[in-house]
Amino acid sequence: MTDLTGASAIVIGLSAVVVAVRDGEVVVLTVRPHDAVTDIASPLPGLPFGPFDPAGHRTFELALRAFVTEQTRFQLGYVEQLYTFGDKGRDAPRAEVGAGAARVVSIGYLGLTPKATDTQAPDTVWAPWTRFFPWEDWRAGRPALLDEAIAPALRRWAGDDADRLSRARLAFALDGAPWNEERVLERYELLYEAGLAPEAARDRARADGHDPAEPEALSAALGEPMISDHRRILATGLSRLRGKIKYRPVVFELTPAEFTLSTLQRTVEAIAGVPLHKQNFRRVVEREDLVEGLGRLDSETGGRPAELFRFRREILGARQAGGLSLPLLRD
C-alpha cells in the first residue's frame, strides 16, 4: 500500500486496455475478478488490473505486464500509458486490488496485439468493444439506437438547458451535427453525467458510504456496464487509438505479419467505426509508403486472390512514420 498523503493511504492500481482485431471486429481482453472474501466472480466484466508495489516492482509497465500475464496467461506486446484516473468514489469495492479502505488511483495502459489468442484463463474473455459502446459503430450507417433511445433520453435530461443540449448535439451528432469518432470518452462521460450509464448511480451511492450491488444494463442501447471505472478507462483507450492511427502507424500492431489491403482497410474501419472509400484508402496507403508488396497472393480469401503486403517496420528507426488518414465513404 502506498501512503502518498501521510493521512489516508492511496493505492496505485494499474489497468490494461488490451486490444486485438478478430474476424474484422475490435475485441478487448476482459476479466471477472473474484471477491477476496467469498471468491465469487464479479457479475460484471472488468479490465485486467492490479496494484503497484513500489518495493517489488521497478516500473509501472513491468508491474502491469506481470499481473496481466498472471491473470490472463497472455503476454503483452505493444504498451503505452493512457491516463491517470483518481475520482473519489470511482474505486469500486469489487475491483479488489488489496486496497482495503484505501482510495485507489488507477493508471490506465493501452496494449495492442495482432492476435486475440484464447488465454484459457478462468473468467477471462475477449469481448467485442460494441458490447460496451454500441453507439460507436457507424460502419453500416448511423446506428438506429442513437435516434430511438439515446437522443430522447439526453433531451429529457437536458430539458431547457442550452449548454446541455449543445453538448449532447455535438457529442452524439444530433440535429445534423457531424460525427467525430474520436470523442468516445466525451460521449461516455456525458451519459454518465446524465445518469444514463448505470455505473453513475452505483458510484454516487458508494461515495455516500453505501455498498450497492453491481448494476445491470439500463438498456442494450446504453451498453454493458463494467466494474469500478473500467468502462471510462476503456473509452479512453478507444479514443486514444482512434486518434493515434491517423498520425502514427500503430494499426500495424493489430495486423498479422502478412496481410491484404482489404484486411488492412477492415482493421482500420473496425477501430474507427466508420466505412472508408476503398480507392482513396489505397491511395493513402501508397502515399504514406508504409507497406511493401510481397509478390505473393493470398489464396485463402474465398474470392479473387489478392496480393499480400507487409508493414515496413524498419522505417521506424529511420524516420518519423505517419499514420493513415480516414477517407470516409460518403453517401
Side-chain angles (χ1 to χ4, degrees):
M1 188 176 296
T2 308
D3 189 339
L4 302 180
T5 66
S8 59
I10 294 179
V11 168
I12 298 176
L14 307 175
S15 302
V17 178
V18 184
V19 178
V21 176
R22 172 186 279 175
D23 299 328
E25 298 295 333
V26 170
V27 291
V28 61
L29 194 60
T30 65
V31 299
R32 290 185 183 268
H34 286 235
D35 185 276
V37 176
T38 66
D39 197 35
I40 297 175
S42 167
L44 295 184
L47 304 171
F49 64 94
F52 174 72
D53 178 7
H57 296 140
R58 187 163 59 86
T59 68
F60 288 158
E61 184 177 323
L62 289 175
L64 180 91
R65 289 180 182 275
F67 74 70
V68 167
T69 300
E70 179 182 353
Q71 290 180 18
T72 69
R73 303 176 191 168
F74 182 82
Q75 297 284 343
L76 286 176
Y78 175 96
V79 168
E80 68 172 78
Q81 190 174 130
L82 275 176
Y83 198 71
T84 299
F85 306 84
D87 294 0
K88 188 174 183 180
R90 300 299 289 272
D91 43 318
R94 283 193 182 274
E96 178 60 51
V97 294
R103 182 171 171 185
V104 176
V105 174
S106 178
I107 302 175
Y109 281 80
L110 175 65
L112 307 178
T113 178
K115 188 176 182 180
T117 305
D118 289 329
T119 68
Q120 305 301 317
D123 302 306
T124 301
V125 174
W126 289 97
W129 231 325
T130 49
R131 275 177 49 183
F132 309 106
F133 309 110
W135 58 85
E136 293 293 338
D137 189 359
W138 286 56
R139 287 174 294 174
R142 182 183 178 88
L145 58 86
L146 273 179
D147 299 311
E148 294 172 358
I150 293 179
L154 286 173
R155 293 187 197 280
R156 288 193 295 271
W157 166 72
D160 295 327
D161 189 312
D163 178 65
R164 286 184 173 184
L165 285 170
S166 176
R167 289 163 58 207
R169 173 180 173 273
L170 293 175
F172 284 93
L174 307 181
D175 302 326
W179 176 256
N180 184 334
E181 71 280 352
E182 293 183 35
R183 301 173 80 167
V184 187
L185 178 60
E186 181 180 342
R187 283 186 282 273
Y188 172 71
E189 293 196 324
L190 188 62
L191 293 177
Y192 186 95
E193 180 183 346
L196 298 173
E199 296 96 326
R202 175 199 66 191
D203 294 347
R204 284 196 297 269
R206 285 177 174 165
D208 291 337
H210 305 294
D211 185 21
E214 293 287 10
E216 296 181 356
L218 298 178
S219 78
L222 296 170
E224 183 177 335
M226 301 183 82
I227 63 169
S228 191
D229 58 351
H230 287 199
R231 196 153 60 130
R232 183 186 183 197
I233 298 173
L234 184 55
T236 305
L238 181 53
S239 292
R240 170 73 62 84
L241 184 55
R242 284 182 168 181
K244 196 159 188 175
I245 60 173
K246 300 175 185 177
Y247 64 87
R248 293 291 291 161
V250 294
V251 67
F252 298 103
E253 304 295 339
L254 294 165
T255 60
E258 299 179 1
F259 50 85
T260 66
L261 293 184
S262 293
T263 297
L264 179 60
Q265 179 175 336
R266 287 194 298 270
T267 298
V268 174
E269 289 175 331
I271 296 167
V274 293
L276 303 178
H277 189 284
K278 180 178 179 179
Q279 287 74 27
N280 289 345
F281 177 76
R282 296 192 175 201
R283 292 189 187 101
V284 168
V285 173
E286 181 179 355
R287 181 180 69 240
E288 296 297 334
D289 197 26
L290 295 173
V291 303
E292 176 183 59
L294 297 176
R296 293 185 282 108
L297 299 181
D298 180 7
S299 59
E300 299 180 1
T301 59
R304 183 179 178 181
E307 184 178 5
L308 288 166
F309 289 78
R310 73 170 186 94
F311 171 47
R312 298 178 60 232
R313 192 169 292 275
E314 63 274 10
I315 67 174
L316 296 179
R319 62 178 173 87
Q320 181 79 7
L324 298 173
S325 59
L326 305 183
L328 300 182
L329 180 64
R330 303 296 184 183
D331 294 331

